[in-house]
Amino acid sequence: MSRTLQWVKTHCARMDHGGCALLVGVRDNRIIHIKGDPEGFLNKGYTCIKGTASPDRLHHPDRLVHPLKRAEKRGEGKWKRISWEEALNEIAENFEKIKTQYGARGVAFCVGMPKGLDHFVLIRLANLFGSPNVVASQDVCHAPREITGIHTCGFYPVADLHYPSRLVVLWGSNITSTNEEGEICSMLMKQLKEGTELIVIDPRRIDLARKASLSLQIRPGTDNALALGFLHVIIEEFLYDRDFVEKWTSGFNDLADHVKKYTPEMVSQITRVPTDFIRDAARRYARAKPAAIQWGNPIEQNVHTFHTIRALICLMAICGNLDVPGGNVDASDPKILSLSSFVRADLLPDKRKEMISAHHHVIPRLMTVAPSYFKKAVLEGIPYPVKAAYIMCANPLLSYAGSRQTYDALMNLDFFAVAEIFMTPTAALADIVLPVASHFEFDDIGHYGLGHGYILARPKVVDPPEECWPDIKILNELGKRVSPPEYWHEDHRQFLEDVLKPSGLSYSQFVDAGYLKGAERFKKYEDGGFVTPTGKVELRLITAEKFNLTPLPGFTQFPEEDDPEYPLVLTGSKSRYYLHSSYRWLEKLRKRSPHPKAEIHPETAEEYGITDGEEVIIDTRYGAITQMAHLTEDICPGIVNAEHGWWYPEAGSASLYEWDRANFNILTSTHNLGREFGTPNLKGIGCRISKK
Ligand SMILES: Nc1nc2c(c(=O)[nH]1)N[C@H]1C(S)=C(S)[C@@H](COP(=O)(O)OP(=O)(O)OC[C@H]3O[C@@H](n4cnc5c(=O)[nH]c(N)nc54)[C@H](O)[C@@H]3O)O[C@H]1N2
Ligand SMILES: Nc1nc2c(c(=O)[nH]1)N[C@H]1C(S)=C(S)[C@@H](COP(=O)(O)OP(=O)(O)OC[C@H]3O[C@@H](n4cnc5c(=O)[nH]c(N)nc54)[C@H](O)[C@@H]3O)O[C@H]1N2
Ligand code: SF4
Ligand SMILES: [Mo]
């Protein structure tokens, strides 16, 4: 190890979707400095507080550094240190036992937010083991927009912030806090400086609302109605791109007839957005060319997600903003290994028919199982029993809707293993806990499979401590034990080379380049049409009947019926200081955000006798939690915005780290699910508040 300070280039990761290029100063196998790389492809020197705090993950005294086996009853917090050999054999034996009794599908492979190449190695492991059940948070994160996109226009339309847009709509995307999809907000900030107009659609006046020409403070859970209102105005006023509509869309007349009823007056009643704002915003979006819609989680965190996304893509299409620079584009990947080849999808040809979700008739192409359906299988054996799980990069007790039910499901499993950096409420219930190497401690590739047309190099900077292994290595070694060993590598790093091989680069050459971007080609539909059955953008879905989908996007009701017992509307958002449930144990971040904050308008707070900074009980039909009241005029009266992901690492294992004290998902449930994706309501829920 070198005693002199060395600067290494890598990309930030596992603090959000990642993306900022970093310069990391290392001495004696320890990170001493960290700063944004001014040459960074996406960030041009920018970093956020999470990025600069990220090396602190490596040296926390409570970090997991040895494989552990449960020594007493589940959740009692008693562990025995075991070797890697013992840990992997124990998992393999348990999985084989379940496989013999219930079939391979009785073992589920659960993963949270995609964090790196490990995500795809896990899917490969499931395929090779023979289980069709990869359980992922995609029901509330990206699958709805990706898959609805493929059905509607043949691709996933991502906001192109690399080219100038005349107008950007931030539709439920708090990009200065979440850096959604690693499309660093600095690219948008640069455009705003250069005169790009901004419209924000968010129940809160977020930071960027101050730079917006219009801020539409929408009632949570009504985005489909608002998008339909935009379509109404644009079609009634002939503001659409007639050429494009005529040549490249199918079902325009049906859509036009259908949206007649969504007048700004009607939509205003539903969304609480004033009619003038609806008209004004729709006109501005239609007239600005090109315009991009940067959409965020709210469009896919309620049961109507399919309709919301369909309506938004119709909007992009009729205004001629699909696949044009500065619009919403079909980004081409660089020449790298396809995902399906990487995960060996060919080895499980019946996956679609065999997976748990097939029973629930989800939308074709959704290849992961929604957590709510996984829990049903565990708890009720529907459609068949699931008895064991491997959980990686996830904290289901915090991140799945209906936390008490998640607790029951985990307790009901015969066996489960968790790979983690730190003991979490979920890991604390496991039978085996595996200590993982964190970011900076292994070679990785970023943004593979994210659909943005580039991949980023995340080379290793320091060695991991003690017995920590990268997930890829763990999966590679487990794979050899539970599936044909010839599909696994001698050295797990070969997976990186496999991904890059078609590009002709080795991993070290890729690291020198820093990133790899696909060819920039726009309007690809001009040769050969859109990749849909009609070759056009399907404003009316031609396959609707075949796939049991609704042909035209609509608004039928709120995600939850109004209920006078729960008169306020609850929504949620991510804290800028944390990633979901992660890192409450990092002092630097915890100092910035010591408690979960619930944002409430002063008038609403007064009605309930609540003052700023005091504990407030938030309760819904499904449960109650406590957060700290934060009174602000930046949220509309009648709406409560609570933080998601809170547990208390300092509370200790006896209380399971107070997993149920402030956890947003105690307030959500899986009773009502969107049919297409199995999506629960995480936003737009009836609630009430009271003084603690
Ligand atoms: N109510 C509500 N629920 C939500 C959301 C919401 O907005 N509101 N958001 C949803 C969304 S968008 C998502 S993506 C999910 C996210 O849900 P999760 O992915 O479950 O949540 P995270 O906290 O990102 O990650 C879980 C764990 O991964 C661990 N971890 C970090 N790095 C590594 C690693 O390299 N290897 C391993 N093995 N573990 C690692 C962390 O320590 C953490 O405990 O939550 C969803 N749930
Ligand atoms: N700091 C941080 N960054 C993250 C994450 C994190 O946990 N923390 N998670 C990462 C992940 S996995 C994801 S998927 C992305 C998500 O990134 P975002 O999509 O930005 O996620 P959210 O914070 O859930 O929601 C964004 C905004 O939607 C608003 N909102 C709430 N309800 C509604 C509604 O019904 N309609 C509309 N129009 N707006 C509403 C909220 O007020 C919030 O400002 O962020 C990624 N980046
Ligand atoms: S914005 Fe995201 S990628 Fe950039 S430094 Fe922060 S956590 Fe890392
Ligand atoms: Mo997500």
Side-chain angles (χ1 to χ4, degrees):
M1 276 301 141
S2 164
R3 287 215 48 85
T4 52
L5 185 71
Q6 279 192 313
W7 287 98
V8 184
K9 284 187 179 218
T10 192
H11 282 93
C12 183
R14 294 164 201 259
M15 279 283 176
D16 57 24
H17 293 143
C20 290
L22 301 176
L23 289 168
V24 186
V26 190
R27 184 186 290 135
D28 281 343
N29 197 40
R30 217 178 154 101
I31 297 174
I32 312 281
H33 294 293
I34 195 152
K35 57 187 182 191
D37 181 351
E39 288 170 15
F41 161 55
L42 297 165
N43 62 318
K44 310 275 185 284
Y46 172 85
T47 58
C48 78
I49 167 86
K50 285 190 276 98
T52 45
S54 62
D56 296 11
R57 284 179 288 188
L58 313 189
H59 302 292
H60 195 286
D62 294 336
R63 179 166 172 194
L64 295 167
V65 288
H66 302 291
L68 301 173
K69 182 177 166 158
R70 183 160 60 76
E72 303 268 340
K73 279 204 198 123
R74 263 204 186 137
E76 286 195 345
K78 301 277 190 304
W79 301 96
K80 185 174 146 224
R81 181 174 157 183
I82 55 172
S83 68
W84 270 109
E85 191 65 20
E86 286 170 289
L88 293 171
N89 288 341
E90 176 106 12
I91 298 172
E93 276 162 29
N94 277 284
F95 284 6
E96 291 299 345
K97 202 166 86 192
I98 303 287
K99 189 176 185 172
T100 312
Q101 209 178 337
Y102 300 94
R105 64 190 190 177
V107 179
F109 293 82
C110 307
V111 65
M113 183 195 87
K115 292 178 173 69
L117 195 59
D118 29 76
H119 188 86
F120 302 98
V121 183
L122 184 81
I123 301 176
R124 183 184 172 99
L125 175 63
N127 286 342
L128 288 170
F129 179 71
S131 172
N133 295 317
V134 173
V135 181
S137 304
Q138 285 184 298
D139 59 324
V140 293
C141 179
H142 289 78
R145 51 186 114 160
E146 290 173 24
I147 293 165
T148 306
I150 292 170
H151 283 274
T152 306
C153 60
F155 65 92
Y156 162 37
V158 294
D160 176 25
L161 300 175
H162 298 265
Y163 280 87
S165 310
R166 293 262 316 275
L167 172 87
V168 173
V169 184
L170 284 182
W171 201 304
S173 174
N174 189 12
I175 196 166
T176 52
S177 279
T178 55
N179 172 32
E180 163 66 337
E181 295 200 334
E183 285 283 298
I184 310 298
C185 61
S186 44
M187 295 202 303
L188 177 61
M189 300 307 263
K190 180 169 170 275
Q191 288 208 28
L192 296 181
K193 267 197 202 125
E194 288 163 3
T196 296
E197 187 186 345
L198 184 70
I199 292 178
V200 169
I201 300 173
D202 196 303
R204 302 183 300 144
R205 219 161 359 171
I206 54 172
D207 291 351
L208 280 178
R210 287 165 185 67
K211 294 194 187 292
S213 53
L214 284 173
S215 161
L216 275 50
Q217 289 189 268
I218 188 173
R219 173 189 161 135
T222 62
D223 295 276
N224 47 336
L226 186 62
L228 289 158
F230 278 30
L231 286 167
H232 172 98
V233 173
I234 292 166
I235 295 175
E236 286 290 298
E237 300 185 7
F238 298 102
L239 299 175
Y240 52 91
D241 182 328
R242 275 173 243 191
D243 255 14
F244 184 88
V245 164
E246 199 170 304
K247 271 201 215 127
W248 295 112
T249 68
S250 134
F252 178 75
N253 291 338
D254 291 342
L255 179 73
D257 278 348
H258 174 73
V259 299
K260 277 206 173 97
K261 61 175 182 274
Y262 295 102
T263 59
E265 290 69 26
M266 176 216 191
V267 167
S268 174
Q269 293 270 316
I270 299 166
T271 59
R272 301 185 189 166
V273 176
T275 50
D276 313 351
F277 278 50
I278 298 172
R279 282 206 182 85
D280 196 5
R283 287 173 188 155
R284 284 171 194 256
Y285 175 74
R287 285 181 180 141
K289 281 192 179 204
I293 298 179
Q294 163 59 41
W295 44 12
N297 268 165
I299 56 152
E300 56 205 356
Q301 294 194 340
N302 70 53
V303 296
H304 301 311
T305 172
F306 178 68
H307 289 267
T308 308
I309 296 172
R310 284 269 302 136
L312 288 171
I313 300 175
C314 289
L315 203 53
M316 297 167 192
I318 69 163
C319 294
N321 283 318
L322 279 181
D323 214 20
V324 296
N328 284 78
V329 299
D330 174 13
S332 313
D333 271 332
K335 258 175 107 186
I336 49 175
L337 188 64
S338 73
L339 288 180
S340 62
S341 307
F342 185 85
V343 303
R344 294 307 305 258
D346 57 310
L347 295 176
L348 208 58
D350 288 335
K351 173 167 172 164
R352 198 185 293 278
K353 281 185 262 160
E354 288 285 315
M355 58 200 291
I356 296 169
S357 358
H359 172 81
H360 301 280
H361 306 293
V362 296
I363 190 168
R365 290 194 143 95
L366 178 63
M367 296 307 276
T368 55
V369 175
S372 307
Y373 295 145
F374 159 66
K375 290 196 279 177
K376 203 171 176 63
V378 175
L379 290 167
E380 300 171 41
I382 297 174
Y384 48 75
V386 169
K387 295 287 180 184
Y390 184 86
I391 301 181
M392 177 191 90
C393 293
N395 190 2
L397 217 39
L398 274 293
S399 56
Y400 291 0
S403 299
R404 293 204 190 278
Q405 184 200 42
T406 306
Y407 177 88
D408 292 342
L410 293 174
M411 292 302 272
N412 252 278
L413 286 168
D414 286 358
F415 174 86
F416 75 102
V418 173
E420 253 298 347
I421 325 173
F422 208 84
M423 192 56 83
T424 63
T426 301
L429 296 179
D431 300 287
I432 298 280
V433 178
L434 305 172
V436 301
S438 187
H439 180 50
F440 300 120
E441 296 173 339
F442 59 95
D443 291 333
D444 193 12
I445 294 178
H447 286 51
Y448 184 46
L450 228 60
H452 283 246
Y454 50 81
I455 54 169
L456 304 171
R458 298 174 177 169
K460 167 177 168 171
V461 177
V462 292
D463 292 322
E466 307 210 37
E467 292 188 275
C468 295
W469 285 9
D471 289 290
I472 303 179
K473 176 171 173 181
I474 303 173
L475 299 167
N476 192 51
E477 297 311 310
L478 185 58
K480 289 175 192 166
R481 286 167 168 81
V482 300
S483 62
E486 62 271 23
Y487 292 113
W488 299 95
H489 289 302
E490 181 76 25
D491 180 342
H492 63 276
R493 282 169 298 192
Q494 185 60 38
F495 282 122
L496 304 160
E497 309 291 346
D498 293 348
V499 170
L500 290 162
K501 199 165 177 211
S503 73
L505 294 180
S506 67
Y507 185 73
S508 72
Q509 287 167 324
F510 170 55
V511 169
D512 290 341
Y515 68 94
L516 199 57
K517 195 171 182 336
E520 279 183 359
R521 286 178 55 229
F522 299 99
K523 296 196 175 178
K524 292 178 281 295
Y525 53 84
E526 285 185 341
D527 23 273
F530 286 90
V531 190
T532 59
T534 53
K536 297 183 174 184
V537 180
E538 304 209 340
L539 304 176
R540 184 182 207 288
L541 266 191
I542 210 95
T543 47
E545 266 149 37
K546 183 167 151 204
F547 297 142
N548 192 24
L549 299 167
T550 319
L552 290 162
F555 175 91
T556 44
Q557 62 201 69
F558 296 121
E560 281 199 349
E561 294 288 328
D562 274 341
D563 176 348
E565 287 283 303
Y566 298 94
L568 305 176
V569 185
L570 173 70
T571 194
S573 56
K574 269 66 121 178
S575 159
R576 78 171 65 222
Y577 300 107
Y578 302 108
L579 172 67
H580 301 288
S581 72
S582 310
Y583 312 130
R584 300 296 183 294
W585 41 272
L586 279 184
E587 203 185 323
K588 225 178 250 166
L589 299 179
R590 194 63 184 276
K591 263 199 195 141
R592 298 288 193 107
S593 167
H595 317 286
K597 280 198 296 195
E599 293 174 332
I600 308 167
H601 192 277
E603 279 170 24
T604 308
E606 198 183 347
E607 231 178 276
Y608 291 84
I610 286 156
T611 52
D612 191 44
E614 75 173 329
E615 285 190 307
V616 53
I617 299 173
I618 308 169
D619 96 79
T620 65
R621 269 159 276 204
Y622 319 108
I625 60 168
T626 306
Q627 298 204 348
M628 294 294 210
H630 174 65
L631 306 198
T632 168
E633 299 204 334
D634 286 339
I635 190 163
C636 294
I639 293 171
V640 177
N641 173 62
E643 274 182 31
H644 135 76
W646 273 89
W647 56 286
Y648 296 86
E650 67 277 14
S653 61
S655 66
L656 212 56
Y657 310 99
E658 297 189 346
W659 67 285
D660 56 355
R661 181 168 138 202
N663 172 1
F664 192 107
N665 280 321
I666 292 277
L667 303 177
T668 61
S669 113
T670 64
H671 294 321
N672 181 13
L673 301 172
R675 190 166 43 80
E676 298 82 3
F677 299 94
T679 305
N681 288 320
L682 301 182
K683 292 176 160 77
I685 305 165
C687 82
R688 59 190 177 200
I689 52 176
S690 53
K691 240 178 155 49
K692 174 107 181 174

